[in-house]
Each structure stands twice: as structure tokens, then as C-alpha cells.
Amino acid sequence: MTEHIVVVGGGTGGTVLANRLAEKLGPEIERGDARVTLVSDDPDHVYKPTFLYVPFGKKTVEDAKRPLADLVDRAVDIEIDRVTGIDTDGKRLSLRDGGSMAYDQLALALGAQLVPEELPGLAEGGHHFYGPDGADALRDEMAEFTEGHLVLSVIGTPHMCPAAPVEFVLMADAWFRERGLREDVEITYTYPIQRAHAIQNVADWASEAFEERNINVETFFNADEVDPEEGVLHSMEGTELDYDLLVGIPPHAGSDLVTEAGLGDDGWADVDKHTLESEHAEDVYVLGDLADVPTSKAGSVAHYEAGAVADRIASRTRGQTPTATYDGKTVCFIESGMDEATFVDFEYGTQPTVREPSKPVHWAKLGYNESYWLTARGLL
Ligand SMILES: Cc1cc2nc3c(=O)[nH]c(=O)nc-3n(C[C@H](O)[C@H](O)[C@H](O)COP(=O)(O)OP(=O)(O)OC[C@H]3O[C@@H](n4cnc5c(N)ncnc54)[C@H](O)[C@@H]3O)c2cc1C
């Protein structure tokens, strides 16, 4: 009998996983003992870290995309369709185009959704760089913005790439300085808890960098409503900020599919943080942003998780007991201006050290972004 492994989601987690499975199960696929299908609702793979550079005119939204078919091993069947239901008892997926698909082992890598509509006024009054349309529109705003108050507000957690909002304001500071406009632009960063970032060491480093660069910080600021007419951002704590340009990191959500399938009651999937196996269904793995594990929602996490999940699925397919686990490994490069960066790496339960920013680390981040296309293919 052929073991059918279905991976849903053609982003970082799903693509790396599908390629790893093709490599690990090459002989089984060749013999017809195993089949790997990647289902994604987008024919393109989108590399979201590129969006950080779009508002500053350094990259375009097109730079973030490659056809999925160019990145995925030929041994994997690609199905462009949207999964609309998951029946974990019957081991079957419903598809938007009407059909259904049976699986023996399932891996979900659906990512996180942006839900700006959860904050009144945000869609009308705010901008962001977390998706292609938002990043494009913000580039146009930034190009025209020569004076006034730029407010970046992190609206709720969790959100993808916890470092990106810090990077954005540090890059904006350097970008306005380069253009001789910094004197005329006030910059404020807000964060919902009582420090500038969820990770203490990153918060300490960012607070110092913000102070050096004259960037205002408002902590314990939980955005409640945006008034686009008046240009005011209100917080639940009763404070308010006048803005001329609002960059709001939109609220994020998991997937209704997860809730409806009983894989997690708030849209984020409940999994064992080491095996990435669902706590509620057999032969279901969840990786990437959708998995509720105690680390950042980051591409590096999805990537390392994919390695462990591929090993476990390959072992099961061969009738062996899986032993591979994910230890929480997370790596984040953090831009600290337009030409310097630092990076942090940590595992479950450890605190990262933030190194002194340098030009070589900035070049390394840019270099990684280019070589990502080889990484996603499994060549690096
Ligand atoms: C601005 C920005 C900067 C970032 N910078 C970094 C960084 O520097 N370093 C880092 O490590 N991470 C960074 N990230 C985070 C990183 O991009 C995500 O953590 C990563 O993409 C998560 O991978 P994923 O596979 O879980 O989800 P995604 O890459 O989002 O992929 C989800 C896939 O699922 C598909 N899909 C969704 N629903 C369905 C459905 N119902 N049926 C079929 N297909 C479906 C989507 O089309 C997509 O292909 C950044 C993110 C942003 C927004």
C-alpha cells in the first residue's frame, strides 16, 4: 500500500518539509511505497522577510515571490487548491474546488493570518509592511512623508517576526537621517507589555538603541481604536497618540480550520513542542507559525521544525519509531539601521545574547535573503 503524506501550505515550513521528505523518502517514492503531495492555495511561494525592505525602496514585492513549482522537488506532487476542512477521524481533507483528498500522515503549515479588522479604524487609518499590498502602499506613503509624527504600534501578540517592528523603526531613523529629514520626523514605537520586546535581552538592547537615536517608546500601550479622521491612536490604558503616519502591526490569527477540526480552540494548533505532533489527532503534525509553541513565529523556526517533522514522518513511513525532535532553535537577524545588523539565537528556555551590531552581520542578512531560495529547495 502507498503511504500518502500530505503537506498543506507552500510557505517556508511546507516547502522545506516537502523537499526534505522527497530527499528522505526518495527510494520509497521511487518504489511506489510512499507519495508526497503539497497542497497550497497560492502557486507562488512568498518569502515574507523581503517585505521589511519594500517601504524603504530597497526591494519590491515581486522580489519576494517565486513559483512554487520551481522550488519543490519533482518527486512531490503539487496541488494548487485551498483546504476548506480537515476530518482527522476519516483522515480526509475537503478542498475548495469541490474534491477531497485522503491522507495517511498530514502536516499543516498554513502560517498566520493578518486580521486588521479586529482593531476599529486600523484598516482605514493605518499602514503596515506585513503583506504585499500593505508593504507597497507603505512605500508610497514613506516616499511622500517628509515631516510629522511616525508612530509604529505593535498591536497585540503573537505576531510574525517579533524583531521586524524594532528593525523597522531603527531603519526608518537611519533612512530619514540619510535623506536629511530626521529633524522634521518624530518617531514613536509602542509595545503592549511593560518593555519594548517580549524577550528581555532584546528589549534592553532595543531600549538603549531607541534612546541613542531619539526614538520615543511607549510600553504597556494596547491599541484600542484608531481615529483616522483626527489621526489619533487610542489605547486601552487610556492614553492616546497623535500621528501623521501610523504603521500598525496588525493583529494575527491562526486558522478556523484548526478550531473546526478540534486541533486547537483559538485557531493556533496545540502540539507537543518537541515532536510537533498534534495533541488532539493521530498522524497530524503542525509546524511554522500555526503551531502554538513557546518561541517566535519566525521562518527559522519553521525551517528547523521541518527537519524534525520530516525525520519523524520518514521513520513512521518505514515502520520505525521516530526519535527526531525540535529543541526550539530560533535564529533572527535584526537590522539596526540601513547598514548594520545584529543577530540572536536561542532554544526553548534560554535567553539570547544580543551582539554588537556590525556591517558584516547586515551583509550576512542580505546574503541569507538571497540564498533563501536555495535553502527552501533543500540545497543549502
Ligand atoms: C515583514 C516580515 C518580516 C519577517 N522577517 C523574518 C526574518 O527576518 N526571519 C525569520 O525567521 N522570519 C521572518 N518573518 C516570519 C516568517 O516569514 C514566517 O514565520 C514564516 O513565513 C512562517 O512559515 P509558515 O510556513 O508557517 O507560513 P507561511 O510562510 O506564511 O506559509 C503559509 C502557506 O500556507 C498557504 N495556505 C494558507 N491557508 C491555506 C489553505 N487553507 N489551503 C492551502 N494553503 C493554504 C499560504 O498560501 C502559504 O503558502 C517575517 C515575516 C514578516 C511578515
Short mmCIF file of all heavy atoms in Angstrom, two decimals, residues 8-14 39-42 48-49 51-52 81-83 109-111 129-130 160-161 164 257 287-289 297-300 302 331 365, ligand 1:
data_model
loop_
_atom_site.label_atom_id
_atom_site.label_comp_id
_atom_site.label_asym_id
_atom_site.label_seq_id
_atom_site.Cartn_x
_atom_site.Cartn_y
_atom_site.Cartn_z
N VAL A 8 0.23 20.65 3.84
CA VAL A 8 -0.62 21.77 3.42
C VAL A 8 0.09 23.08 3.74
O VAL A 8 0.46 23.33 4.90
CB VAL A 8 -2.00 21.74 4.11
CG1 VAL A 8 -2.90 22.83 3.52
CG2 VAL A 8 -2.66 20.37 3.96
N GLY A 9 0.26 23.92 2.69
CA GLY A 9 0.90 25.23 2.87
C GLY A 9 2.22 25.27 2.11
O GLY A 9 3.13 24.50 2.41
N GLY A 10 2.31 26.19 1.15
CA GLY A 10 3.53 26.28 0.33
C GLY A 10 4.40 27.44 0.74
O GLY A 10 5.08 28.06 -0.09
N GLY A 11 4.43 27.76 2.05
CA GLY A 11 5.35 28.79 2.55
C GLY A 11 6.63 28.13 3.03
O GLY A 11 7.01 27.05 2.57
N THR A 12 7.29 28.78 3.99
CA THR A 12 8.60 28.28 4.43
C THR A 12 8.50 26.86 5.00
O THR A 12 9.24 25.96 4.58
CB THR A 12 9.18 29.25 5.49
OG1 THR A 12 9.35 30.51 4.85
CG2 THR A 12 10.52 28.75 6.01
N GLY A 13 7.59 26.66 5.97
CA GLY A 13 7.51 25.35 6.62
C GLY A 13 7.14 24.25 5.64
O GLY A 13 7.81 23.20 5.58
N GLY A 14 6.10 24.47 4.84
CA GLY A 14 5.61 23.43 3.93
C GLY A 14 6.59 23.11 2.82
O GLY A 14 6.78 21.93 2.46
N VAL A 39 -0.16 20.69 -0.91
CA VAL A 39 -1.36 21.45 -1.31
C VAL A 39 -1.17 22.88 -0.85
O VAL A 39 -0.92 23.14 0.34
CB VAL A 39 -2.63 20.90 -0.59
CG1 VAL A 39 -3.88 21.62 -1.12
CG2 VAL A 39 -2.77 19.40 -0.78
N SER A 40 -1.29 23.83 -1.76
CA SER A 40 -1.19 25.23 -1.37
C SER A 40 -2.18 26.05 -2.18
O SER A 40 -2.45 25.73 -3.34
CB SER A 40 0.22 25.77 -1.55
OG SER A 40 0.34 27.02 -0.88
N ASP A 41 -2.70 27.13 -1.57
CA ASP A 41 -3.69 27.93 -2.28
C ASP A 41 -3.05 29.03 -3.11
O ASP A 41 -3.75 29.84 -3.72
CB ASP A 41 -4.72 28.51 -1.28
CG ASP A 41 -4.08 29.42 -0.26
OD1 ASP A 41 -2.84 29.55 -0.25
OD2 ASP A 41 -4.82 30.00 0.56
N ASP A 42 -1.72 29.07 -3.15
CA ASP A 42 -1.02 30.10 -3.91
C ASP A 42 0.02 29.42 -4.79
O ASP A 42 0.86 28.67 -4.27
CB ASP A 42 -0.35 31.07 -2.90
CG ASP A 42 0.27 32.29 -3.57
OD1 ASP A 42 0.50 32.24 -4.79
OD2 ASP A 42 0.55 33.27 -2.86
N LYS A 48 8.36 36.24 3.10
CA LYS A 48 7.88 37.47 3.74
C LYS A 48 8.97 38.41 4.27
O LYS A 48 8.73 39.63 4.34
CB LYS A 48 6.90 37.10 4.85
CG LYS A 48 5.64 36.42 4.33
CD LYS A 48 4.77 35.92 5.48
CE LYS A 48 3.49 35.29 4.98
NZ LYS A 48 2.72 34.69 6.08
N PRO A 49 10.13 37.91 4.72
CA PRO A 49 11.15 38.86 5.22
C PRO A 49 11.52 39.96 4.23
O PRO A 49 11.97 41.04 4.62
CB PRO A 49 12.34 37.93 5.53
CG PRO A 49 11.69 36.64 5.94
CD PRO A 49 10.51 36.51 5.00
N PHE A 51 9.53 41.82 2.71
CA PHE A 51 8.61 42.97 2.85
C PHE A 51 9.19 44.08 3.73
O PHE A 51 8.81 45.24 3.59
CB PHE A 51 7.26 42.52 3.44
CG PHE A 51 6.50 41.54 2.57
CD1 PHE A 51 5.64 40.61 3.14
CD2 PHE A 51 6.64 41.55 1.20
CE1 PHE A 51 4.94 39.71 2.36
CE2 PHE A 51 5.93 40.65 0.39
CZ PHE A 51 5.09 39.73 0.98
N LEU A 52 10.10 43.74 4.66
CA LEU A 52 10.70 44.76 5.53
C LEU A 52 11.42 45.84 4.72
O LEU A 52 11.49 47.00 5.13
CB LEU A 52 11.70 44.08 6.50
CG LEU A 52 12.55 44.97 7.39
CD1 LEU A 52 11.67 45.73 8.40
CD2 LEU A 52 13.60 44.15 8.14
N ASP A 81 -4.74 24.40 -4.56
CA ASP A 81 -6.13 24.37 -4.12
C ASP A 81 -6.14 24.84 -2.67
O ASP A 81 -5.10 24.89 -2.03
CB ASP A 81 -6.69 22.94 -4.21
CG ASP A 81 -8.21 22.94 -4.42
OD1 ASP A 81 -8.86 23.91 -3.99
OD2 ASP A 81 -8.72 21.97 -4.99
N ARG A 82 -7.33 25.19 -2.18
CA ARG A 82 -7.43 25.64 -0.79
C ARG A 82 -8.11 24.57 0.04
O ARG A 82 -9.18 24.08 -0.34
CB ARG A 82 -8.23 26.95 -0.74
CG ARG A 82 -8.25 27.57 0.64
CD ARG A 82 -8.78 29.00 0.60
NE ARG A 82 -8.87 29.52 1.95
CZ ARG A 82 -7.84 30.00 2.63
NH1 ARG A 82 -6.65 30.06 2.08
NH2 ARG A 82 -8.00 30.44 3.87
N VAL A 83 -7.49 24.20 1.14
CA VAL A 83 -8.11 23.24 2.05
C VAL A 83 -9.22 23.97 2.81
O VAL A 83 -8.99 25.05 3.38
CB VAL A 83 -7.06 22.63 3.01
CG1 VAL A 83 -7.73 21.79 4.09
CG2 VAL A 83 -6.06 21.80 2.23
N ALA A 109 1.04 23.51 7.57
CA ALA A 109 1.93 24.68 7.67
C ALA A 109 1.21 25.85 7.00
O ALA A 109 1.64 26.36 5.96
CB ALA A 109 3.27 24.38 6.99
N LEU A 110 0.09 26.24 7.61
CA LEU A 110 -0.81 27.25 6.99
C LEU A 110 -0.41 28.68 7.32
O LEU A 110 -1.04 29.62 6.83
CB LEU A 110 -2.25 27.02 7.46
CG LEU A 110 -2.86 25.64 7.25
CD1 LEU A 110 -4.21 25.54 7.92
CD2 LEU A 110 -2.99 25.35 5.77
N GLY A 111 0.58 28.86 8.20
CA GLY A 111 1.00 30.22 8.55
C GLY A 111 0.00 30.93 9.45
O GLY A 111 -0.92 30.32 9.99
N PHE A 129 3.66 46.64 6.87
CA PHE A 129 4.53 46.04 5.85
C PHE A 129 4.53 44.52 6.00
O PHE A 129 5.48 43.86 5.61
CB PHE A 129 5.96 46.62 5.99
CG PHE A 129 6.56 46.43 7.36
CD1 PHE A 129 7.40 45.35 7.63
CD2 PHE A 129 6.28 47.30 8.39
CE1 PHE A 129 7.93 45.16 8.88
CE2 PHE A 129 6.81 47.12 9.67
CZ PHE A 129 7.64 46.04 9.91
N TYR A 130 3.44 43.97 6.56
CA TYR A 130 3.39 42.53 6.84
C TYR A 130 2.79 41.71 5.70
O TYR A 130 2.68 40.50 5.80
CB TYR A 130 2.65 42.30 8.17
CG TYR A 130 3.64 42.19 9.32
CD1 TYR A 130 4.57 43.19 9.56
CD2 TYR A 130 3.66 41.06 10.15
CE1 TYR A 130 5.50 43.08 10.58
CE2 TYR A 130 4.58 40.95 11.18
CZ TYR A 130 5.50 41.95 11.38
OH TYR A 130 6.42 41.82 12.40
N MET A 160 4.07 37.66 13.61
CA MET A 160 5.23 37.12 12.90
C MET A 160 6.45 37.99 13.15
O MET A 160 6.34 39.20 13.27
CB MET A 160 4.97 37.12 11.38
CG MET A 160 3.98 36.09 10.91
SD MET A 160 3.75 36.20 9.12
CE MET A 160 2.48 37.45 8.97
N CYS A 161 7.58 37.34 13.19
CA CYS A 161 8.88 38.01 13.31
C CYS A 161 8.87 39.12 14.37
O CYS A 161 8.78 40.31 14.03
CB CYS A 161 9.35 38.57 11.98
SG CYS A 161 11.09 39.02 12.05
N ALA A 164 10.84 42.34 13.65
CA ALA A 164 10.63 43.23 12.50
C ALA A 164 10.16 44.64 12.87
O ALA A 164 10.63 45.62 12.27
CB ALA A 164 9.68 42.58 11.50
N LEU A 257 -9.73 26.53 10.36
CA LEU A 257 -9.65 25.08 10.09
C LEU A 257 -9.20 24.32 11.33
O LEU A 257 -9.68 23.23 11.60
CB LEU A 257 -8.65 24.81 8.96
CG LEU A 257 -9.03 25.24 7.55
CD1 LEU A 257 -7.87 24.99 6.60
CD2 LEU A 257 -10.25 24.46 7.10
N LEU A 287 3.45 22.70 11.92
CA LEU A 287 4.72 23.40 12.03
C LEU A 287 4.57 24.85 11.56
O LEU A 287 3.55 25.22 10.97
CB LEU A 287 5.81 22.68 11.25
CG LEU A 287 5.71 22.61 9.72
CD1 LEU A 287 7.10 22.33 9.14
CD2 LEU A 287 4.76 21.52 9.29
N GLY A 288 5.58 25.64 11.84
CA GLY A 288 5.56 27.04 11.42
C GLY A 288 4.68 27.88 12.33
O GLY A 288 4.38 27.51 13.47
N ASP A 289 4.24 29.01 11.79
CA ASP A 289 3.50 29.99 12.59
C ASP A 289 2.23 29.43 13.22
O ASP A 289 1.78 29.93 14.26
CB ASP A 289 3.13 31.21 11.73
CG ASP A 289 4.36 32.00 11.30
OD1 ASP A 289 5.44 31.78 11.87
OD2 ASP A 289 4.21 32.84 10.39
N LYS A 297 7.35 33.38 16.14
CA LYS A 297 6.75 32.98 14.87
C LYS A 297 7.72 33.47 13.79
O LYS A 297 7.65 34.61 13.33
CB LYS A 297 5.36 33.60 14.70
CG LYS A 297 4.41 33.10 15.79
CD LYS A 297 3.00 32.97 15.35
CE LYS A 297 2.12 32.33 16.41
NZ LYS A 297 2.40 30.90 16.66
N ALA A 298 8.68 32.60 13.45
CA ALA A 298 9.76 33.01 12.55
C ALA A 298 10.03 31.93 11.51
O ALA A 298 9.81 30.74 11.77
CB ALA A 298 11.04 33.27 13.36
N GLY A 299 10.55 32.36 10.36
CA GLY A 299 10.87 31.42 9.29
C GLY A 299 11.92 30.41 9.74
O GLY A 299 11.88 29.24 9.35
N SER A 300 12.88 30.88 10.56
CA SER A 300 13.92 29.96 11.02
C SER A 300 13.31 28.83 11.84
O SER A 300 13.73 27.67 11.74
CB SER A 300 14.99 30.70 11.83
OG SER A 300 14.43 31.28 12.99
N ALA A 302 10.19 27.63 11.50
CA ALA A 302 9.50 26.74 10.55
C ALA A 302 10.52 25.83 9.87
O ALA A 302 10.29 24.63 9.68
CB ALA A 302 8.75 27.58 9.51
N VAL A 331 16.66 31.45 15.11
CA VAL A 331 17.74 32.39 14.75
C VAL A 331 17.09 33.61 14.11
O VAL A 331 16.25 33.47 13.21
CB VAL A 331 18.71 31.74 13.73
CG1 VAL A 331 19.81 32.73 13.34
CG2 VAL A 331 19.33 30.47 14.29
N LYS A 365 22.78 39.12 6.58
CA LYS A 365 21.31 39.05 6.49
C LYS A 365 20.87 39.20 5.02
O LYS A 365 20.03 38.45 4.54
CB LYS A 365 20.65 40.12 7.38
CG LYS A 365 19.13 40.16 7.21
CD LYS A 365 18.35 40.76 8.36
CE LYS A 365 16.85 40.70 8.04
NZ LYS A 365 15.95 40.80 9.14
C1 LIG B 1 7.69 41.61 7.41
C2 LIG B 1 8.14 40.26 7.87
C3 LIG B 1 9.48 40.03 8.12
C4 LIG B 1 9.90 38.79 8.56
N1 LIG B 1 11.24 38.59 8.79
C5 LIG B 1 11.68 37.39 9.22
C6 LIG B 1 13.07 37.17 9.43
O1 LIG B 1 13.91 38.06 9.21
N2 LIG B 1 13.45 35.95 9.88
C7 LIG B 1 12.55 34.95 10.11
O2 LIG B 1 12.96 33.84 10.54
N3 LIG B 1 11.21 35.13 9.91
C8 LIG B 1 10.76 36.31 9.47
N4 LIG B 1 9.41 36.51 9.24
C9 LIG B 1 8.45 35.46 9.61
C10 LIG B 1 8.33 34.36 8.55
O3 LIG B 1 8.05 34.91 7.28
C11 LIG B 1 7.22 33.40 8.97
O4 LIG B 1 7.43 32.99 10.31
C12 LIG B 1 7.23 32.17 8.07
O5 LIG B 1 6.85 32.54 6.76
C13 LIG B 1 6.29 31.08 8.61
O6 LIG B 1 6.26 30.00 7.73
P1 LIG B 1 4.93 29.11 7.60
O7 LIG B 1 5.29 28.02 6.65
O8 LIG B 1 4.41 28.78 8.92
O9 LIG B 1 3.85 30.07 6.94
P2 LIG B 1 3.85 30.90 5.59
O10 LIG B 1 5.24 31.08 5.08
O11 LIG B 1 3.02 32.09 5.85
O12 LIG B 1 3.09 29.94 4.55
C14 LIG B 1 1.75 29.59 4.70
C15 LIG B 1 1.30 28.93 3.41
O13 LIG B 1 0.03 28.30 3.59
C16 LIG B 1 -0.80 28.60 2.48
N5 LIG B 1 -2.18 28.43 2.95
C17 LIG B 1 -2.79 29.11 3.95
N6 LIG B 1 -4.05 28.64 4.15
C18 LIG B 1 -4.22 27.63 3.26
C19 LIG B 1 -5.31 26.73 2.98
N7 LIG B 1 -6.45 26.78 3.67
N8 LIG B 1 -5.15 25.81 2.00
C20 LIG B 1 -4.00 25.72 1.29
N9 LIG B 1 -2.94 26.55 1.53
C21 LIG B 1 -3.04 27.48 2.50
C22 LIG B 1 -0.39 30.02 2.10
O14 LIG B 1 -0.77 30.38 0.80
C23 LIG B 1 1.13 29.90 2.25
O15 LIG B 1 1.69 29.33 1.09
C24 LIG B 1 8.95 37.74 8.76
C25 LIG B 1 7.60 37.96 8.50
C26 LIG B 1 7.19 39.20 8.06
C27 LIG B 1 5.73 39.44 7.76
#
